[in-house]
Amino acid sequence: MNRPHHELERPGARRTRSRWWTVGLAGLALTTTVGVSVAPAADAVARAATDDRPPTSDHRDDNPSDKGKGKKKKPKGVPVPCTADALIAAITQANARGGAVLDLATKCTYTLTTNIDGAGLPAIATPITLNGGTHTTITRAAAADQFRILTVNAGGNLTLNHLKITGGQTTENGGGVSVAAGGSAAINHSKILDNITSQGGGGIFNQGTAFVTGSSVNRNIAGETGGGISSSGPLKVVKSHIDRNTANVGGGVAAAGATVREGSITGNKAALSAGGMLIDGGIGTVVGTHVTGNTAGDVVGGIAVTDGGQLTLRRVGLTDNTAGNVGGLFVSGPISNGTSFAVIEDSLIKNNNAGSDGGGISNQGVTTLRRATVAGNEAGDQGGGIYNTLGGTVRLFDTKVVKNVAVTDGGGIFNDGGTVELNIASGTVVVKNRPNNCSGDVPGCAG
C-alpha cells in the first residue's frame, strides 16, 4: 500500500533536513473508535536503568475464596467425524437450526478443498461453537483454490476452543478468520498460524467484535495492514501471543482501538511502519505485555499511536525494537493527522534503536510518563531516549532517563521546539546519557 511522505521541517535557525515520520501512518482506513476500560496499575517494571526484569503478569483472582465455585461443565456438543465434508454439513445444519455446539475429532486435520463464498467453511450466521482438542486442525489443502478458513457474518457468533486454524490464503481481507460488522468471534486456547492475505488481517480481520484469550496469532502475513490482526471493531486480547507476523503497516496488530493484557507482541515486521502495533484514532490499552524485537523498514519499530488516538501502557516492556526512524514509541501530533496521547506507567522502554531520531520515544502529541525507565536506547541522529518535536508536550514524573545514546545531539532528551516538563521534585532524573543529557529547552536538565 503506497503511503504519502509527510515532511516536517525544523523551525528557525535549527532548520535541518526534512522529516517524514508519518509515512505509512497517515490516512490509514481504520475508522471505528473503540472504548475500553483501563485496568489498575501494579508494581513497577524497573526502578533502575540496569534492571532487565520483564513486565510481570498479575494472575490474582478478584475473589480467591470463590475459586472453583459455580464452574460450568463444557457443554457437550454434536460429534463431527474427521472429514471436511462432515464439518461442512454440520455447520450448514447448525446455521439452519439457529446454532449448535460441535465437537470436532481430536488428532484430526480437517483439510478443506472447496471455496464456499470466499472461505473453506460455510459462513457462520448463528451462534456456533467449534470445540477442538489435542491436535485438532482446520486447514486449506495446499493445491486448492485460495480462500480463508472461516467467515463470520452479521448476526453470527463464533466460538473456537482448542483449535488450530492454518493455511488460509486469500486476496480479500482476513487470511484465517474474517468477522463482519455485526458479527463476533471468541478465540480461546487456539492457534491462528501461517495464514496469508494480500489485504488486511493475515490471521484475523475484525469489523465486528473479537476476543482472543490464551491463544497464539503467529506467522501470518498481510499485504496491507495487521499481519496478525487488523481490527476496526472492539478487540480484546488476553494472555495471548501475537508474534512473528508480517505486514506493510502494523506488523503485529493494526487496530482502531484495542485492549491487550498479559501477553506478547514480539518479532513482528512491517515493511513500512509500526512493526509491533498501530493504534489508529481509537483507544488502546496495553498491560503487563512484552512488546519486543519488532522491526519496521521505515518508521516506528514498536508502537505507533496516530490520528488522535489514545494509548495507555502499564507494566509494559517496550524493548529491542528497531526502525529507520523511531525505535520504540511514536505519538503523532497535528502535523500527522491529529494530536494523539500516550500515558506510560510502571514501564520499561529500553534498548530500542532508531537509524535517525527518537531511539526510545518520538513525540509530536502529548505523552506522560510516570514511574517509568527510558534506558539504553540509541538514535543515529538526535534524541536517544526521547525526541520531542514542535507542538509536542512530554511530562515526566518519577522517571529515569539514563544511559541513552544519540550520535549527534540530545542523548537523553532532544527538544525541538516543543515542551518538556521534567518535574524533578517527583524524582525524575536525566543522567549518564551521551553525548549529553539534554539538548534544546529542557528546564531543570543538566546538559
Side-chain angles (χ1 to χ4, degrees), residues 87-431:
L87 181 55
I88 290 169
I91 293 175
T92 300
Q93 187 176 65
N95 279 328
R97 293 182 174 179
V101 175
L102 304 178
D103 289 344
L104 280 60
T106 60
K107 298 180 181 178
C108 169
T109 297
Y110 293 85
T111 302
L112 309 174
T113 59
T114 303
N115 187 335
I116 306 171
D117 295 327
L121 293 170
I124 305 300
T126 59
I128 294 177
T129 296
L130 302 181
N131 290 324
T134 305
H135 304 304
T136 304
T137 298
I138 305 175
T139 189
R140 181 185 65 89
D145 291 341
Q146 292 187 5
F147 51 77
R148 75 175 66 87
I149 305 301
L150 280 159
T151 300
V152 183
N153 283 345
N157 184 340
L158 171 67
T159 300
L160 297 181
N161 296 319
H162 300 283
L163 275 170
K164 181 191 287 186
I165 303 297
T166 186
Q169 187 169 354
T170 179
T171 58
E172 300 177 346
N173 291 311
V177 179
S178 178
V179 183
S184 66
I187 298 168
N188 305 314
H189 308 290
S190 294
K191 296 178 180 179
I192 312 295
L193 304 176
D194 298 312
N195 301 284
I196 301 172
T197 175
S198 56
Q199 295 193 39
I204 301 168
F205 181 78
N206 174 53
Q207 292 178 303
T209 302
F211 300 93
V212 180
T213 304
S215 296
S216 299
V217 183
N218 296 350
R219 302 196 307 263
N220 302 283
I221 298 173
E224 295 183 357
T225 61
I229 303 174
S230 180
S231 178
S232 59
L235 171 67
K236 188 171 184 178
V237 180
V238 178
K239 296 181 181 177
S240 296
H241 303 286
I242 303 173
D243 302 338
R244 292 170 289 160
N245 302 283
T246 303
N248 249 13
V249 176
V253 180
T259 297
V260 179
R261 295 182 58 89
E262 300 175 359
S264 67
I265 301 174
T266 64
N268 301 285
K269 296 180 180 180
L272 292 178
S273 53
M277 185 177 191
L278 169 67
I279 296 296
D280 186 69
I283 298 175
T285 303
V286 183
V287 179
T289 295
H290 297 268
V291 184
T292 301
N294 303 286
T295 61
D298 206 337
V299 288
V300 196
I303 302 175
V305 52
T306 63
D307 290 353
Q310 301 174 49
L311 174 67
T312 298
L313 302 181
R314 288 197 177 104
R315 296 186 288 110
V316 168
L318 183 64
T319 62
D320 298 291
N321 302 287
T322 303
N325 286 279
V326 191
L329 171 68
F330 172 72
V331 183
S332 74
I335 199 167
S336 304
N337 268 11
T339 299
S340 297
F341 301 83
V343 176
I344 303 163
E345 296 180 335
D346 305 304
S347 293
L348 176 66
I349 300 176
K350 186 173 183 179
N351 293 345
N352 301 286
N353 190 289
S356 185
D357 298 334
I361 299 171
S362 178
N363 177 67
Q364 298 175 353
V366 179
T367 296
T368 303
L369 296 95
R370 301 187 184 102
R371 302 175 304 278
T373 297
V374 181
N377 303 284
E378 296 187 12
D381 194 354
Q382 298 164 330
I386 299 172
Y387 182 93
N388 187 53
T389 194
L390 180 66
T393 299
V394 177
R395 301 184 178 101
L396 297 90
F397 299 89
D398 191 14
T399 291
K400 294 178 173 58
V401 182
V402 293
K403 295 185 178 179
N404 302 282
V405 177
V407 170
T408 304
D409 203 5
I413 301 173
F414 186 93
N415 184 27
D416 185 20
T419 300
V420 177
E421 301 173 6
L422 295 184
N423 295 291
I424 299 296
S426 70
T428 295
V429 294
V430 185
V431 295

